[in-house]
């Protein structure tokens, strides 16, 4: 599954276009490697997402083409959420 689609389906990022913009700016890493929106993700991959003031690290536990709001959180496991130090 494409990275930008996974981020939208899992509701980590609300819109696919925003997920694409973040990836194109180099703010999303798959297994500590910079990634593009079109990168493929699989179960077991670790994502580091650099939001404005924090870095969220999640591990992909499941892949689905669509997910209801209450199912979305079951697609990943939150590993850490750290504020960015200035």
């Amino acid at each position: 599954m494409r990275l930008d689609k996974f981020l939208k389906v899992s509701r980590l990022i609300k819109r696919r276009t925003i997920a694409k913009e973040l990836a194109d700016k180099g703010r999303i890493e798959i297994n500590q490697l910079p990634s593009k929106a079109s990168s493929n993700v699989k179960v077991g991959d670790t994502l580091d997402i650099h939001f404005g003031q924090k870095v969220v690290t999640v591990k992909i536990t499941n892949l689905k083409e669509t997910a209801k709001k209450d199912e979305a959180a079951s697609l990943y496991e939150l590993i850490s959420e750290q504020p960015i130090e200035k």
Side-chain angles (χ1 to χ4, degrees):
M1 174 181 284
R2 285 175 55 112
L3 173 61
D4 56 349
K5 181 162 183 169
F6 174 78
L7 292 171
K8 179 197 174 293
V9 170
S10 66
R11 289 178 167 75
L12 285 166
I13 297 177
K14 288 188 179 192
R15 289 189 290 281
R16 192 168 174 176
T17 54
I18 294 173
K20 182 181 182 320
E21 288 174 15
L22 281 177
D24 289 344
K25 291 180 181 177
R27 298 176 67 179
I28 301 175
E29 299 173 353
I30 300 174
N31 299 324
Q32 286 81 39
L33 298 173
S35 59
K36 296 182 180 180
S38 61
S39 299
N40 286 320
V41 295
K42 58 187 181 304
V43 174
D45 283 348
T46 303
L47 303 179
D48 295 318
I49 306 165
H50 299 263
F51 290 107
Q53 298 298 319
K54 63 184 175 182
V55 177
V56 176
T57 303
V58 297
K59 182 176 183 180
I60 299 174
T61 57
N62 197 356
L63 293 176
K64 288 187 178 182
E65 291 296 315
T66 59
K68 295 181 181 175
K69 188 175 184 179
D70 54 342
E71 296 174 340
S74 69
L75 299 179
Y76 62 90
E77 174 187 335
L78 183 66
I79 295 175
S80 70
E81 188 172 333
Q82 301 172 347
I84 295 175
E85 296 178 16
K86 292 184 178 182

